[in-house]
Amino acid sequence: MRQVRLIDENGTQVGVVDTREALRMAKEREYDLVLVSPNAVPPVARLLDYGKWRYEQQQAEKEARKKAKRTELKSMKLRPKIEAHDYNTKVGHIRRFLEEGHKVKVTIMFRGREMAHQELGYKLLERIAKDLEGIGFVEMRPEMLGRDMNMVMAPGAKPSAPVAPAASSGNPA
């Protein structure tokens, strides 16, 4: 006959009892007999309402997921020729996103002849990085992807390295 160390529904140790006796006590008190530590000598079993315990575990997991911080990648699109008020509005939105803890992908969209003046996009992104220094830092330096120039900023106060333009094509404008 195998024996178990029994813990009752209140958490107090009953002691070492036969398995059949532990099952009888569980049935008598309308609880489940749950093996807590099968590798211990003797194994440890506990009287508890397993359905209620499982429900409480699920609720705790649900609450933990709810409190977990979710970061999104927000996106802000600009054009190289942007007026001061529009620029300030866009920077205000980026600032708010960073303060909320989100990463922000800043995209400069080039059209037509604007492609010949990519340095304007670099200067604009450099200006954004400088204006938001202390609130966010440049996580991904500006790079061209097709007709768009992208830069990713992350929240935090890491020192932002100056954004240097890539090697130009050698055409002095």
Side-chain angles (χ1 to χ4, degrees):
M1 173 61 74
R2 197 158 179 218
Q3 294 185 327
V4 293
R5 181 175 305 276
L6 187 64
I7 301 172
D8 71 3
E9 64 275 10
N10 301 323
T12 56
Q13 280 200 28
V14 175
V16 179
V17 294
D18 289 339
T19 308
R20 285 189 183 160
E21 176 66 20
L23 282 169
R24 187 190 59 73
M25 288 173 71
K27 198 170 190 178
E28 210 173 79
R29 299 178 187 186
E30 296 181 358
Y31 282 104
D32 300 309
L33 184 67
V34 179
L35 204 55
V36 178
S37 180
N39 298 333
V41 180
V44 180
R46 184 173 188 156
L47 296 177
L48 57 86
D49 184 348
Y50 186 75
K52 180 181 176 184
W53 178 80
R54 186 72 191 117
Y55 173 76
E56 288 170 354
Q57 293 295 106
Q58 287 173 342
Q59 293 303 311
E61 287 172 17
K62 191 175 179 182
E63 195 66 31
R65 273 197 307 272
K66 202 181 288 183
K67 289 182 180 174
K69 191 174 181 183
R70 289 192 189 102
T71 56
E72 280 184 55
L73 179 65
K74 299 284 189 174
S75 184
M76 187 59 60
K77 294 186 174 188
L78 305 114
R79 300 288 315 275
K81 296 179 187 172
I82 187 169
E83 293 298 320
H85 180 266
D86 296 334
Y87 172 82
N88 292 334
T89 302
K90 297 280 188 180
V91 168
H93 290 310
I94 295 169
R95 174 178 279 118
R96 189 182 77 230
F97 292 150
L98 291 171
E99 286 170 350
E100 288 172 1
H102 301 293
K103 290 183 179 182
V104 182
K105 176 180 173 184
V106 185
T107 304
I108 308 290
M109 302 175 299
F110 293 96
R111 288 202 314 223
R113 287 184 229 152
E114 292 173 348
M115 285 296 289
H117 299 286
Q118 293 177 12
E119 71 278 357
L120 295 175
Y122 280 109
K123 286 179 183 173
L124 186 57
L125 290 175
E126 186 177 271
R127 184 172 154 206
I128 290 170
K130 187 172 172 272
D131 288 350
L132 296 172
E133 212 168 8
I135 297 165
F137 66 96
V138 177
E139 186 179 79
M140 187 187 90
R141 300 176 65 73
E143 63 180 38
M144 285 299 294
L145 240 156
R147 291 187 159 272
D148 295 341
M149 184 179 291
N150 298 308
M151 172 179 81
V152 176
M153 292 193 74
K158 286 188 182 175
S160 177
V163 180
S168 62
S169 58
N171 290 347

